[in-house]
């Protein structure tokens, strides 16, 4: 059985751990609020671009673009958004596990796909498994700006335009609530369903619908990547806040258990001392 000194040391160290996890929980909660606000404020922008592009795509004009047309798939690109840090429960593990299972089912050779990864956790895992990582970016801020991913988003979209990829998917954790994050696969390109639905808004295009389409479609694809990143950031902070809350609760329960063990050991030690004193006094009589 551990000595009273050892138990006391464990209680002290657990209390310090509890202070750290509690602080991380509060920091993650504050970051979550900002991340949710960023994601919600960016949504109207992508919706408006989609509305304009859908209006052109569903019109009777001859305006068209390669990003709207399916072609035989020889190589698939996967944009995977993970975090740079852990301590977020199953946030990264559930995403990478689902992706690896999907890749195994869809592809027979690494030549059939390529990975564009955001986040150190995903990058390290894919490189450790010798998967074809074509582009990577790490060290993104907690509240990212589009300029932080502009280059990697633009070059990835250009890879589709240049025929390197025949289809593009983005994988990320969609934020549902701080307790729930859903692994999501979104088809980025080609935008075969962009013309679905109807819009009552009528637009006049200058200089032409074709020129607007050529300018807007790459921007729209890039905005979808950025929107997925903002959503993933909210999921990351929600998962981390939940994980740190659970760690704090576990530390509290452990402190209570250790305190009970310590008090029992202290009581037993006092009882033993009293017994020895009484026994010694009786021997002197």
């Amino acid at each position: 059985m551990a000595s009273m000194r050892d138990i006391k040391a464990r209680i002290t160290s657990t209390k310090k751990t509890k202070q750290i996890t509690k602080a991380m929980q509060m920091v993650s909660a504050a970051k979550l609020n900002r991340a949710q606000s960023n994601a919600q404020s960016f949504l109207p922008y992508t919706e408006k671009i989609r509305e304009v592009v859908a209006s052109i795509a569903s019109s009777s004009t001859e305006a068209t673009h390669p990003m709207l047309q399916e072609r035989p798939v020889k190589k698939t690109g996967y944009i995977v958004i993970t975090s740079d840090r852990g301590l977020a429960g199953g946030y990264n593990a559930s995403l990478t596990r689902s992706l690896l299972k999907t890749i195994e089912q869809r592809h027979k050779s690494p030549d059939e796909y390529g990975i564009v990864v955001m986040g150190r956790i995903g990058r390290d895992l894919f490189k450790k498994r010798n998967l074809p990582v074509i582009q990577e970016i790490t060290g993104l801020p907690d509240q990212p700006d589009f300029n932080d991913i502009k280059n990697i988003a633009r070059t990835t979209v250009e890879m589709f335009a240049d025929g390197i990829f025949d289809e593009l998917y983005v994988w990320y954790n969609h934020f549902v609530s701080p307790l729930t994050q859903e692994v999501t696969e979104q088809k980025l390109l080609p935008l075969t369903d962009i013309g679905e639905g109807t819009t009552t808004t009528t637009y006049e295009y200058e200089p032409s619908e074709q020129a607007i389409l050529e300018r807007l479609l790459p921007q729209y694809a890039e905005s979808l990547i950025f929107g997925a990143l903002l959503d993933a950031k909210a999921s990351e902070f929600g998962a981390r806040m939940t994980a740190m809350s659970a760690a704090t609760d576990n530390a509290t329960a452990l402190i209570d258990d250790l305190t009970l063990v310590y008090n029992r050991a202290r009581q037993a030690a006092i009882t033993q001392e009293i017994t020895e004193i009484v026994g010694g006094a009786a021997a002197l009589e």
Side-chain angles (χ1 to χ4, degrees):
M1 182 177 178
S3 66
M4 292 177 59
R5 179 179 296 179
D6 293 337
I7 297 173
K8 190 68 174 179
R10 284 195 64 190
I11 292 175
T12 301
S13 64
T14 305
K15 286 182 177 179
K16 291 180 179 179
T17 301
K18 178 182 175 181
Q19 291 176 346
I20 295 173
T21 57
K22 184 64 176 179
M24 293 181 67
Q25 176 187 349
M26 296 174 66
V27 169
S28 296
K31 290 181 178 180
L32 171 60
N33 290 333
R34 288 191 60 190
Q36 282 185 278
S37 177
N38 291 341
Q40 292 171 357
S41 62
F42 185 75
L43 192 59
Y45 171 77
T46 55
E47 289 180 345
K48 178 53 69 174
I49 295 184
R50 179 184 176 88
E51 181 181 313
V52 174
V53 173
S55 175
I56 299 176
S58 60
S59 66
S60 58
T61 64
E62 297 181 356
T64 185
H65 195 280
M67 291 185 181
L68 296 174
Q69 301 170 347
E70 288 190 6
R71 58 192 186 220
V73 178
K74 298 178 181 178
K75 192 166 187 175
T76 302
Y78 296 97
I79 304 170
V80 187
I81 303 174
T82 64
S83 67
D84 285 316
R85 299 182 297 274
L87 300 177
Y91 173 81
N92 292 294
S94 58
L95 177 67
T96 54
R97 182 168 54 247
S98 297
L99 174 65
L100 293 175
K101 183 178 180 180
T102 299
I103 288 176
E104 183 180 354
Q105 293 172 348
R106 291 180 182 173
H107 307 290
K108 298 179 180 179
S109 167
D111 297 331
E112 296 179 355
Y113 66 94
I115 298 175
V116 177
V117 60
M118 300 183 187
R120 182 185 58 82
I121 300 294
R123 181 203 62 183
D124 293 348
L125 173 65
F126 298 147
K127 287 192 171 183
K128 183 178 180 181
R129 290 174 173 260
N130 295 319
L131 299 181
V133 176
I134 296 179
Q135 289 194 99
E136 63 181 71
I137 184 171
T138 60
L140 290 172
D142 292 331
Q143 311 299 332
D145 185 82
F146 179 72
N147 289 328
D148 295 320
I149 66 158
K150 179 174 65 175
N151 290 335
I152 193 170
R154 185 159 300 171
T155 54
T156 303
V157 172
E158 288 174 352
M159 285 181 182
F160 176 86
D162 294 338
I164 297 176
F165 293 134
D166 299 303
E167 60 180 359
L168 271 176
Y169 293 90
V170 57
W171 280 70
Y172 65 100
N173 279 297
H174 169 60
F175 179 81
V176 179
S177 71
L179 294 174
T180 306
Q181 299 83 38
E182 292 181 350
V183 175
T184 301
E185 179 190 43
Q186 179 182 1
K187 189 171 185 179
L188 187 65
L189 291 171
L191 299 165
T192 53
D193 62 344
I194 192 70
E196 295 182 358
T198 59
T199 175
T200 58
T201 307
T202 303
Y203 298 94
E204 293 183 5
Y205 302 99
E206 182 67 31
S208 67
E209 293 185 358
Q210 183 65 41
I212 298 297
L213 203 60
E214 291 178 356
R215 183 65 179 271
L216 276 187
L217 270 178
Q219 289 185 8
Y220 176 60
E222 293 167 11
S223 71
L224 290 179
I225 297 174
F226 183 58
L229 174 62
L230 294 179
D231 195 356
K233 281 293 184 181
S235 296
E236 176 186 347
F237 297 134
R240 185 166 290 116
M241 183 184 73
T242 301
M244 292 301 99
S245 175
T248 302
D249 293 342
N250 290 338
T252 301
L254 181 58
I255 291 170
D256 291 342
D257 292 341
L258 289 173
T259 301
L260 181 61
V261 172
Y262 177 81
N263 289 337
R264 286 177 176 173
R266 184 168 175 266
Q267 184 178 9
I270 294 173
T271 302
Q272 179 67 25
E273 290 178 2
I274 294 174
T275 302
E276 292 176 353
I277 291 171
V278 172
L284 295 175
E285 292 179 358

